[in-house]
Amino acid sequence: MIQVIVNGQPEMLAPGLTVLGLLEARGLVGKRLAVERNGEIVPKARHAEVALTDGDRLEIVVAVGGG
């Protein structure tokens, strides 16, 4: 297991999990969102290839529409 920080909360995840895998597990695929890993934005086109590693700090921000 690896430990990462997601939106300020420590979590234990399976090694080799990608950003896309994390988003799938949280039911966030298809939503308008931004993912930051260790201070850098991860483009949507790279979500499937960016593997999470021990100590990563992630911020996931979901866009909310309103009116």
Side-chain angles (χ1 to χ4, degrees):
M1 299 297 280
I2 61 169
Q3 182 172 1
V4 300
I5 306 295
V6 180
N7 293 346
Q9 300 297 317
E11 294 193 27
M12 298 300 289
L13 302 173
L17 187 69
T18 62
V19 170
L20 180 59
L22 178 64
L23 296 176
E24 287 173 339
R26 292 172 175 255
L28 296 174
V29 173
K31 297 189 183 280
R32 294 181 57 199
L33 52 78
V35 178
E36 181 183 278
R37 176 179 172 241
N38 301 327
E40 295 185 19
I41 296 293
V42 179
K44 184 177 180 180
R46 297 198 57 225
H47 286 181
E49 65 188 57
V50 174
L52 303 177
T53 59
D54 197 48
D56 278 349
R57 298 183 71 84
L58 299 155
E59 292 294 328
I60 302 171
V61 179
V62 179
V64 178

